[in-house]
């Protein structure tokens, strides 16, 4: 039977949040919360959500400032997103969950697990930020005064939106032949949405400067008492795979999986491998 993915909206405080959801779960299995990265949306999980929903209830929100969620003119920091996750789960009445985060979503998932350990049964960090200083200069240079604003102005135009989408694609995917057309369309669409690029730039500037990442959470990893899977593409051009190694070494219950021939978005570029690795991890801990 084909899994139906529903698109819903919910008010979280003053914000209207769009999220995707599917599945009923098996017995007492905790639901999965899927958190996307900077400059992305819940669409990133579309390629794995139906497979995960065969065994779990799954929720994938658009962060505030992204996708079809509200985009207020505020500072979009990792701390803000962490509180948003807490409020989102509270609004939906979800008490115990598995949190899966990619890139910025990984850092937010980690911060949430550290701040609300009673709410998280397991953690999955997918090419997560916050585990080392190095980051691709394509992102860190956007934090320069005026450079980011100039990039926004150009990327809001139809031609600029296309160029932005394909520039990101070259960095985020290991093989351009594996870039879904739907992902490119979503990137172009969001670039021309009021407030999206401004929110993205705000988020980047709260995490990066021209030298790289400055909010590093490696020293906090030993505090985690829960099973944690670190998953990384072995050809990630945004965050080097050595950051995955350094992170796992500090975890009490950590496991590392490298996805071969894969960039920064394993859930899109290799959805079957991603899903298989994630479900195998969950089977072992339940």
């Amino acid at each position: 039977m084909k899994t139906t993915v529903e698109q819903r909206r919910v008010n979280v405080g003053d914000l209207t949040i769009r999220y995707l959801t599917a599945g009923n779960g098996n017995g007492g299995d905790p639901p999965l919360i899927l958190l996307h990265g900077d400059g992305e949306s819940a669409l990133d999980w579309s390629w794995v959500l139906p497979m995960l929903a065969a065994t779990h209830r799954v929720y994938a929100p658009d962060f505030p400032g992204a996708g079809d969620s509200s985009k207020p003119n505020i500072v979009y920091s990792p701390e803000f997103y962490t509180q948003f996750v807490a409020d989102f789960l509270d609004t939906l009445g979800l008490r115990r969950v598995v949190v899966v985060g990619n890139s910025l979503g990984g850092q937010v998932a980690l911060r949430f697990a550290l701040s609300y350990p009673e709410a998280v049964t397991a953690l999955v960090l997918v090419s997560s930020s916050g585990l080392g200083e190095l980051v691709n200069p394509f992102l860190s240079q956007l934090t320069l005064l005026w450079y980011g604003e100039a990039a926004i102005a150009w990327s809001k135009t139809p031609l600029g939106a296309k160029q932005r989408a394909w520039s990101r694609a070259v960095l985020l995917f290991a093989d351009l032949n594996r870039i879904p057309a739907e992902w490119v369309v979503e990137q172009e669409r969001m670039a021309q949405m009021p407030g999206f690029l401004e929110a993205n730039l705000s988020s980047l500037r709260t995490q990066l400067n021209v030298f790289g990442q400055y909010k590093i959470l490696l020293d906090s990893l030993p505090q985690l008492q829960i099973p944690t899977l670190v998953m990384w593409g072995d050809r990630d051009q945004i965050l080097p795979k050595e950051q995955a190694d350094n992170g796992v070494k500090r975890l009490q219950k950590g496991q590392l999986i490298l996805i071969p021939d894969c960039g920064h978005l394993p859930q899109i570029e290799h959805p079957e491998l991603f899903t298989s690795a994630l479900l195998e991890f969950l089977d072992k801990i339940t």
Side-chain angles (χ1 to χ4, degrees):
M1 185 172 65
K2 185 177 180 180
T3 300
T4 300
V5 177
E6 299 179 61
Q7 178 178 250
R8 298 181 182 178
R9 283 174 170 77
V10 65
N11 290 329
V12 179
D14 295 331
L15 303 172
T16 299
I17 300 300
R18 191 278 297 259
Y19 67 98
L20 307 179
T21 187
N24 294 313
N26 290 332
D29 286 350
L32 307 183
I33 308 301
L34 311 179
L35 305 178
H36 65 79
D38 267 318
E40 301 293 317
S41 73
L43 177 82
D44 280 19
W45 303 106
S46 299
W47 291 269
V48 299
L49 206 155
M51 291 184 283
L52 295 174
T55 53
H56 291 77
R57 184 68 176 177
V58 187
Y59 300 85
D62 284 330
F63 274 140
D68 290 305
S69 289
S70 296
K71 301 172 182 63
N73 182 18
I74 59 173
V75 175
Y76 289 87
S77 66
E79 294 83 0
F80 163 77
Y81 289 122
T82 302
Q83 185 59 51
F84 159 73
V85 172
D87 295 341
F88 176 73
L89 296 183
D90 186 59
T91 300
L92 296 184
L94 302 175
R95 303 303 176 204
R96 294 278 288 172
V97 297
V98 174
V99 190
V100 182
N102 175 222
S103 198
L104 165 68
Q107 181 181 165
V108 173
L110 173 56
R111 288 176 177 272
F112 180 77
L114 290 167
S115 299
Y116 302 91
E118 71 286 350
V120 182
T121 63
L123 179 64
V124 182
L125 306 177
V126 185
S127 301
S128 175
S129 64
L131 300 183
E133 293 183 6
L134 290 179
V135 67
N136 193 293
F138 177 83
L139 295 181
S140 58
Q141 69 183 358
L142 289 172
T143 66
L144 290 170
L145 189 63
W146 303 115
Y147 184 87
E149 284 74 13
I152 285 177
W154 166 244
S155 296
K156 283 180 177 291
T157 68
L159 182 58
K162 289 183 180 293
Q163 184 184 60
R164 175 187 177 275
W166 283 103
S167 296
R168 286 175 59 82
V170 169
L171 290 174
L172 294 172
F173 291 86
D175 186 340
L176 298 186
N177 293 317
R178 290 196 289 265
I179 302 173
E182 300 94 325
W183 181 87
V184 177
V185 170
E186 174 78 340
Q187 287 292 312
E188 293 180 18
R189 181 183 78 94
M190 289 194 298
Q192 298 175 80
M193 296 176 72
F196 168 72
L197 291 175
E198 290 83 356
N200 186 28
L201 181 59
S202 173
S203 177
L204 289 176
R205 284 176 169 168
T206 63
Q207 303 169 68
L208 313 175
N209 56 34
V210 69
F211 302 106
Q213 299 184 77
Y214 62 84
K215 291 194 174 180
I216 311 300
L217 301 175
L218 281 175
D219 291 342
S220 298
L221 294 182
Q223 299 176 30
L224 291 174
Q225 303 292 322
I226 56 176
T228 302
L229 173 64
V230 179
M231 194 184 309
W232 226 269
D234 71 348
R235 293 175 58 190
D236 193 326
Q237 298 183 72
I238 300 296
L239 301 170
K241 62 183 179 182
E242 288 75 18
Q243 292 181 5
D245 295 323
N246 292 337
V248 169
K249 291 175 183 177
R250 289 168 169 79
L251 291 167
Q252 296 191 39
K253 299 179 181 179
Q255 177 184 344
L256 173 63
I257 291 181
L258 292 178
I259 304 296
D261 191 28
C262 184
H264 193 61
L265 304 173
Q267 70 273 26
I268 303 178
E269 192 162 7
H270 286 294
E272 291 82 8
L273 290 177
F274 175 93
T275 303
S276 176
L278 176 53
L279 292 179
E280 182 178 351
F281 167 72
L282 295 176
D283 286 343
K284 289 179 179 178
I285 64 173
T286 57

